[in-house]
Each structure stands twice: as structure tokens, then as C-alpha cells.
Amino acid sequence: MDSVVSDATAVSETPVVAGIPAQPGAESREPDTEEGAQDWQLDHSRAPIATKIVVAGGFGVGKTTFVRAVSEITPLQTEALMTRASEDTDDLTATPDKLTTTVAMDFGRITLDSDLVLYVFGTPGQQRFWFMWDDLVRGAIGAIVLADTRRLTDCFPALDYFESCGLPYIVAVNHFEGTELFEEDDIREALTVPAHVPVVIMDARKRYSVVETLLAMVAHALEATPE
């Protein structure tokens, strides 16, 4: 009997209850492990700062591609096939191969640092879906307005919206093959964007370019609302 009691005491300092085997002490437990998990995800004593960013712009400007390129999870997409019913409202001149359109939102997530996680929401571009913007921007620290130099006027509604609601935003020109490259100052003048609003040239298909754009947005949001 003495040997049994001494063995149980060695395993755990918790009093032994009849019928319940002694359990290993907390100090001897192995930490949670999960393949591919980051350190902060396994540290239950703290949580990263989660922030929300909205990506807006005209129809077919690359918002879905932007979210898909950067998301570390399988992005939520609400793509629907385009039909003849939209022929009179959706201009496909610049995007003749486009077969689907976002009818609600795109959603993705990216961890920029051990203490910073961004939730990225892409808005629908067509005017008939603009009523959802108020809900999508609620709680966001800022917005990215995507622009296509072939049809800059398409991003004016987004610019007007974020100016009116006071949400910090930057302009990201989606440049890729087949589009003319313009200087940032020329884009700023064409869109009459205020001097304090950053304008960046990027490619929504490339992850590193999208990450740099998100970092520019976070930096601008911190400058605009440092508290």
C-alpha cells in the first residue's frame, strides 16, 4: 500500500480520490501542437489583434482576385454566373471574358504579423448591390479602392462613399498586361484624390503585391486614426 501511495504522489500533487486515477500535473502536459499552426495560435494566454479592411471598386476591377490572391484560408466567395439579364447594366467591354460576378461579398484572412490578423472583405461592384456596403464597412479600420486605368470613372462611387463616411482609404491601381502604366501623381490628378491619400500601383494577381497594398492601408489607417 505504501508503494502505491508514493507512486501516486510522484505523478501528481493533487489528492488521490478513491476510484479516480491520478492525473499528470499541469507542468508535465505537452503543449498543444498542430501542423502548420503559428506560435500565437497555440498560445492561449494571448490573442492577436484582429482588424477589418474593405476592398471596393467598380465592376470587374479585380476585387475577388485581390482577396483570393492573399487569403491564407479558402476564401468565401459569392460568385454567380452572369446571364443575359445583366447585358444592359454590366459593361463587359474591358472584361469580355468575365463569366461570373460577386453578388454579396468576398471574404479572406491573412496574418501579417504574430499580433496582427486582417480580415479582408470585398464588396460587390454593381450599383444594384451598393445597399450592402454600409454593413460591410461597419467596424473596418480602412478601405482599399481598386482602380482600372482603362475605366477610372468606375471607382468614383467608391471614392465618394469613403470620403462621405470618413473612413480612411487608399487607391490601388490594378496594373497588369494590357493596361497602360501611369505615374501615381497622374492617377491622383485624374481622380482628384487628396494629397494625404496614398496611391499605389499593384497587381491583384500577385500575393506579394497585395500584401504590400494591405500594409500601406494599415499604415495609412494608423496615421489617420492613431488612437
Side-chain angles (χ1 to χ4, degrees), residues 14-30:
T14 304
V16 178
V17 180
I20 301 178
Q23 301 297 318
E27 67 280 355
S28 64
R29 294 174 184 168
E30 292 294 329

Side-chain angles (χ1 to χ4, degrees), residues 152 155-156 159-160 163 169 171 184-197 199:
L152 283 177
C155 68
F156 282 145
L159 293 174
D160 292 340
E163 282 284 354
Y169 70 92
V171 175
E184 296 175 5
D185 290 341
D186 295 332
I187 299 295
R188 182 186 304 279
E189 182 178 355
L191 296 177
T192 63
V193 175
H196 69 275
V197 175
V199 176

Side-chain angles (χ1 to χ4, degrees), residues 8-190:
T9 304
V11 173
S12 173
E13 296 179 357
T14 304
V16 178
V17 180
I20 301 178
Q23 301 297 318
E27 67 280 355
S28 64
R29 294 174 184 168
E30 292 294 329
D32 295 338
T33 59
E34 184 177 346
E35 184 178 357
Q38 302 184 45
D39 292 340
W40 64 264
Q41 292 172 312
L42 303 179
D43 185 354
H44 302 297
S45 64
R46 65 186 181 91
I49 299 173
T51 59
K52 177 181 179 181
I53 283 181
V54 174
V55 182
F59 169 72
V61 76
K63 300 180 295 295
T64 299
T65 301
F66 184 105
V67 175
R68 185 191 301 126
V70 79
S71 181
E72 63 193 13
I73 62 173
T74 301
L76 168 66
Q77 298 176 338
T78 56
E79 293 281 284
L81 287 173
M82 300 183 65
T83 65
R84 293 186 180 277
S86 65
E87 287 182 344
D88 296 332
T89 57
D90 297 332
D91 184 5
L92 294 177
T93 304
T95 56
D97 297 327
K98 186 174 178 60
L99 301 177
T100 61
T101 184
T102 299
V103 295
M105 68 174 184
D106 299 306
F107 169 75
R109 185 192 72 194
I110 177 174
T111 303
L112 289 181
D113 196 4
S114 60
D115 291 323
L116 179 60
V117 176
L118 291 185
Y119 294 107
V120 185
F121 288 78
T123 67
Q126 297 97 317
Q127 184 175 358
R128 59 185 179 276
F129 297 126
W130 287 354
F131 68 91
M132 291 185 286
W133 285 24
D134 290 339
D135 291 328
L136 289 176
V137 303
R138 187 174 293 115
I141 65 168
I144 297 171
V145 178
L146 280 185
D148 186 336
T149 55
R150 297 170 298 180
R151 44 200 173 97
L152 283 177
T153 55
D154 288 358
C155 68
F156 282 145
L159 293 174
D160 292 340
Y161 179 85
F162 296 122
E163 282 284 354
S164 63
C165 70
L167 189 69
Y169 70 92
I170 70 171
V171 175
V173 179
N174 188 15
H175 171 66
F176 49 89
E177 297 87 353
T179 62
E180 187 174 353
L181 179 62
F182 292 91
E183 296 295 331
E184 296 175 5
D185 290 341
D186 295 332
I187 299 295
R188 182 186 304 279
E189 182 178 355

